[in-house]
Amino acid sequence: MLFLPENFGFLGRSPAESLAQAQPLEGPLMARYRQLAASTGLWLSLGGFQEEGPDDSHIHNTHVVLDDRGQTAAVYRKIHLFDVDVPSGPVLLESRFTAPGSQAVTCASPAGVLGLTTCYDLRFPELYQHLAFDKGADVLLVPSAFTVPTGKAHWEILLRARAIETQSYVIAAAQAGQHNEKRVSYGHSLVVDPWGTVCGRLQDGTATGIALADIDLSAADDIKARMPVGLHRRKGKERWAGS
């Protein structure tokens, strides 16, 4: 299975450029990737494209998983939008031109049950806990285009934290390098195992390339058996839920 980052098809200079790129799920961009998946026999995680939104002023930032026949296995529309004044960086207001999604999404795949998220979602652990503990995700996907300041400070820490607290694999395909005069992405694509160990990364985190990793769900099951965080979470929640 191949995992691509957020904005895999286009990353523009302005909201107007992003709006101009908007296409439906059955549009020409997805048609090309459906053909690619079918012709190669690969499942594809397409980490975020400009899907036509609810009105002319808003798109959805949409993460799509295609199976090896090119059929849609899952569609997730990014919930947490990046409205942030980045320290020593740009002011980015994603909600100006993007409508948030409202559904947590999982799907079965050859790599296990996938939990779909996108970029800024990473800072909201309750979403990942819901995907792992309530919806049964084995592998949490975090395609991203992190800024350089936030990436340097938080990227790997947050990814490893999400893996450790959910006892799940985390796969984070990341945009890297200079896109235009306004945008630079941090890069450093990672795969993290359920113990929080980085098991896949690019040798040069700012380069374009492919990081390889094996997913061993039996090892994850062993960790869960020895340290049953999901069970303890449920029991703990029963105790404090009414407080």
Side-chain angles (χ1 to χ4, degrees):
M1 186 165 181
L2 181 66
F3 303 85
L4 299 183
E6 183 183 26
N7 296 314
F8 66 90
F10 179 79
L11 201 162
R13 296 173 177 83
S14 67
E17 288 189 352
S18 294
L19 289 167
Q21 291 293 319
Q23 296 186 18
L25 278 171
E26 302 304 323
L29 179 67
M30 279 297 116
R32 292 199 295 273
Y33 281 92
R34 292 181 196 282
Q35 183 179 21
L36 177 64
S39 64
T40 60
L42 273 177
W43 281 63
L44 299 177
S45 165
L46 305 173
F49 86 105
Q50 292 82 6
E51 183 196 6
E52 288 181 346
D55 55 59
D56 291 341
S57 299
H58 294 85
I59 59 172
H60 287 297
N61 187 343
T62 302
H63 180 174
V64 180
V65 173
L66 302 178
D67 68 17
D68 55 1
R69 299 168 297 159
Q71 301 299 308
T72 301
V75 175
Y76 167 71
R77 297 178 176 94
K78 184 178 179 183
I79 292 173
H80 301 99
L81 302 181
F82 192 68
D83 288 358
V84 176
D85 183 350
V86 178
S88 302
V91 177
L92 298 173
L93 299 173
E94 190 174 17
S95 67
R96 287 174 56 195
F97 61 97
T98 304
S102 59
Q103 297 291 321
V105 175
T106 60
C107 72
S109 82
V113 177
L114 307 177
L116 280 66
T117 73
T118 305
C119 200
Y120 189 53
D121 287 330
L122 180 59
R123 294 182 181 273
F124 302 90
E126 60 273 16
L127 174 59
Y128 295 85
Q129 292 171 16
H130 175 58
L131 291 169
F133 296 127
D134 301 329
K135 296 179 74 69
D138 303 303
V139 181
L140 302 169
L141 308 184
V142 195
S144 298
F146 252 55
T147 69
V148 172
T150 57
K152 286 181 176 179
H154 303 145
W155 173 244
E156 184 169 330
I157 295 169
L158 288 171
L159 291 170
R160 294 180 68 189
R162 296 297 86 83
I164 292 166
E165 69 198 9
T166 62
Q167 299 180 313
S168 305
Y169 281 90
V170 170
I171 300 176
Q175 290 280 0
Q178 186 90 37
H179 305 293
N180 52 58
E181 68 276 8
K182 293 184 177 181
R183 282 295 302 272
V184 184
S185 291
Y186 178 65
H188 295 83
S189 296
L190 295 177
V191 183
V192 186
D193 73 15
W195 193 244
T197 302
V198 175
C199 58
R201 70 163 85 227
L202 293 178
Q203 186 172 4
D204 180 353
T206 61
T208 299
I210 297 176
L212 301 176
D214 293 323
I215 303 297
D216 184 353
L217 296 181
S218 64
D221 289 340
D222 183 63
I223 291 170
K224 294 172 185 176
R226 293 171 180 271
M227 187 185 293
V229 169
L231 172 63
H232 296 160
R233 173 181 178 268
R234 185 169 66 251
K235 287 183 175 181
K237 194 172 182 179
E238 290 171 356
R239 290 183 177 276
W240 59 255
S243 62

